Amino acid sequence: MSENKKLRMGVLGLGEGRSVISAVQQSSLWELGAVCDLNEQLCRERMAEFHLPDYLTDYEEMLRDESIDVIGIYTPDQLHARHIIMALEAGKHVVCTKPLMVDLTMARDLIRAQKESGRQVFIGQSSRYFEAAMHQRRDFEKGRHGELVTVETHYVSDSRWFLERAWSHREGFSWMYNFLIHAVDLALWYLPRVEEVYGVGVCSSNSASRGVMAPDALKFILKDQSGVCASINGNYAVPALSKPAEHFISCTLRGTSGASKAECPFDYYHHFSEPGIYNTTVHENYDERRPYYYRFEGDTHHAGEYQNYLEYFARCIQKGETPLPDLKEGIRTIAVMEAMNRCLSSGQVERVSDVLDAWGLKEDIEP
Ligand SMILES: NC(=O)c1ccc[n+]([C@@H]2O[C@H](COP(=O)([O-])OP(=O)(O)OC[C@H]3O[C@@H](n4cnc5c(N)ncnc54)[C@H](O)[C@@H]3O)[C@@H](O)[C@H]2O)c1
């Protein structure tokens, strides 16, 4: 595809899709093809907010528009797999928000649909695209940490407001797949070959009394094939501490020649040094980037993360490269989460390869 042609985006789901519209409008690599949501009132609000000429309420009508190259999927978690397959069958590339899906039931159908279409599926794991996380990743890729020894991630937020949503009460919703996945994805970004997992979860009375019985306090240890391990922590239905006591998402890397901590969105600490030198921790702060990341009222939408990942995705399509996380990496993440879920009931260490075997996915995901 020509490096100069803008990609045309069709946005499905205009809640979080609001950030996508903003990102597309501000990017030189994208243009808006259509927006679609079942909720007409929301469509009208987005039309007014972004000065759009029109909207659609029928996904299939958006898929029939041949001028659209890519579908951005921002519908409730339980619908993602079906919506991705529909887009692939219509010959579109796909960017889908997290989680790729809420179990592995449709994994093989997704793999088949992608093979048949020859199109790209990119998972919008937005936390990789906060300023602090991107700086940490660059240092990691330069090898500044030496050999990685441990990773610690957390995502903590008081998200009791989420229980107001109808789909948080539908089958398939869990705090783990919807929320903890940010912390799981950061850990797997550094340890892509996690094999053993162990953890515990607590369903607090704050969640249970509102009818959501999924554990909202979650702690896991993940170990990869070489023995390097990650710890993952999440709390979602109890009060959370605010900055500076606690940042909502963080990732700490400890290696043989350095340690670093990305406190998302805007604080990055690192210490790369020789033995015996302890007081050289550098603190970088990117608060000046706040207006780029947070474009709407409050801190609820992070449009800057979306613009970062959409521009990465566009460059991959232009160059004919596979954007990561792709479908295979996304499915492996869900398999790791299924192993984590199994621990919650078995109380035992669970293996990711057993999950992949059980679903007949091993050859596709780990050939
Ligand atoms: N940082 C992040 O990456 C991030 C943050 C928040 C939410 N999300 C994800 O984004 C997705 C949407 O979350 P949300 O908070 O916007 O939820 P939401 O409930 O506010 O929005 C979902 C929208 O999808 C629409 N919809 C449902 N089925 C449809 C269909 N068949 N056709 C057209 N529209 C349809 C609904 O009408 C609704 O407006 C979820 O999967 C969530 O996990 C990601």
Side-chain angles (χ1 to χ4, degrees):
M1 147 166 208
S2 142
E3 296 244 344
N4 300 322
K5 183 185 173 293
K6 286 187 176 191
L7 287 162
R8 265 175 92 74
M9 167 75 81
V11 186
L12 183 69
L14 302 183
E16 209 50 29
R18 185 186 194 192
S19 287
V20 182
I21 299 169
S22 168
V24 164
Q25 285 187 336
Q26 293 192 28
S27 172
S28 58
L29 302 179
W30 289 92
E31 63 189 15
L32 200 59
V35 299
C36 176
D37 198 294
L38 293 174
N39 177 343
E40 288 211 65
Q41 169 63 24
L42 184 62
C43 289
R44 283 193 286 270
E45 282 171 31
R46 296 292 178 248
M47 277 179 66
E49 180 179 10
F50 295 104
H51 310 289
L52 306 177
D54 208 354
Y55 64 86
L56 299 170
T57 54
D58 178 0
Y59 182 30
E60 298 203 13
E61 194 180 337
M62 183 157 77
L63 292 175
R64 283 194 293 273
D65 182 339
E66 289 186 0
S67 75
I68 292 178
D69 305 297
V70 177
I71 299 292
I73 294 174
Y74 295 84
T75 47
D77 302 359
Q78 298 94 326
L79 305 178
H80 293 171
R82 188 148 47 87
H83 286 157
I84 294 171
I85 290 174
M86 288 170 75
L88 290 171
E89 286 175 351
K92 313 295 186 192
H93 297 292
V94 176
V95 51
C96 180
T97 186
K98 50 49 68 175
L100 166 60
M101 50 195 166
V102 295
D103 59 39
L104 291 166
T105 317
M106 292 179 76
R108 294 182 64 77
D109 297 329
L110 279 165
I111 292 167
R112 194 178 320 113
Q114 184 181 23
K115 268 190 196 147
E116 285 171 9
S117 74
R119 296 293 186 253
Q120 300 282 7
V121 176
F122 170 56
I123 320 303
Q125 287 291 168
S126 59
S127 303
R128 297 185 184 193
Y129 290 89
F130 261 133
E131 204 65 29
M134 290 193 301
H135 281 78
Q136 181 179 43
R137 184 71 185 186
R138 278 178 214 140
D139 279 339
F140 174 76
E141 286 177 357
K142 283 182 201 152
R144 297 188 76 193
H145 297 79
E147 213 174 288
L148 199 56
V149 178
T150 58
V151 179
E152 295 141 35
T153 66
H154 91 221
Y155 175 27
V156 171
S157 68
D158 181 353
S159 294
R160 283 175 282 178
W161 56 269
F162 203 79
L163 297 169
E164 305 304 324
R165 301 231 165 133
W167 59 270
S168 73
H169 297 268
R170 286 193 203 125
E171 193 183 344
F173 171 79
S174 69
W175 297 106
M176 189 157 106
Y177 284 78
N178 188 289
F179 283 79
L180 192 73
I181 193 166
H182 285 296
V184 174
D185 177 69
L186 286 176
L188 297 181
W189 201 16
Y190 293 99
L191 298 184
R193 284 284 159 264
V194 160
E195 170 55 10
E196 291 179 10
V197 310
Y198 179 72
V200 292
V202 178
C203 179
S204 73
S205 57
N206 286 351
S207 188
S209 64
R210 312 276 285 281
V212 172
M213 303 310 290
D216 53 274
L218 296 144
K219 297 192 185 297
F220 287 94
I221 301 286
L222 276 50
K223 196 168 88 175
D224 81 359
Q225 286 147 350
S226 63
V228 179
C229 65
S231 63
I232 297 177
N233 180 34
N235 281 275
Y236 305 110
V238 294
L241 300 170
S242 58
K243 272 175 70 178
E246 189 166 66
H247 293 235
F248 76 126
I249 292 183
S250 86
C251 177
T252 303
L253 305 179
R254 300 183 199 276
T256 49
S257 54
S260 69
K261 184 173 200 173
E263 295 266 37
C264 292
F266 301 127
D267 290 280
Y268 178 41
Y269 301 85
H270 54 81
H271 171 68
F272 302 111
S273 87
E274 296 301 314
I277 300 173
Y278 301 111
N279 297 320
T280 62
T281 299
V282 176
H283 176 200
E284 295 176 23
N285 172 269
Y286 316 108
D287 268 342
E288 78 282 358
R289 299 278 286 151
R290 173 166 284 277
Y292 171 78
Y293 282 89
Y294 295 103
R295 302 175 188 178
F296 313 119
E297 70 288 341
D299 279 358
T300 51
H301 292 81
H302 324 149
E305 283 175 298
Y306 292 62
Q307 187 160 340
N308 292 346
Y309 75 59
L310 288 175
E311 292 187 346
Y312 161 72
F313 183 33
R315 282 191 213 98
C316 286
I317 292 183
Q318 284 172 344
K319 292 187 212 150
E321 292 173 0
T322 303
L324 296 174
D326 63 352
L327 185 61
K328 282 186 183 174
E329 191 178 330
I331 290 173
R332 196 176 195 284
T333 298
I334 301 300
V336 172
M337 296 190 78
E338 180 163 325
M340 293 162 67
N341 216 11
R342 287 180 179 192
C343 282
L344 298 181
S345 21
S346 72
Q348 311 280 331
V349 172
E350 297 284 349
R351 301 180 70 85
V352 177
S353 52
D354 289 345
V355 172
L356 292 172
D357 268 342
W359 287 95
L361 288 166
K362 214 163 186 180
E363 273 187 22
D364 286 304
I365 302 304
E366 294 182 326

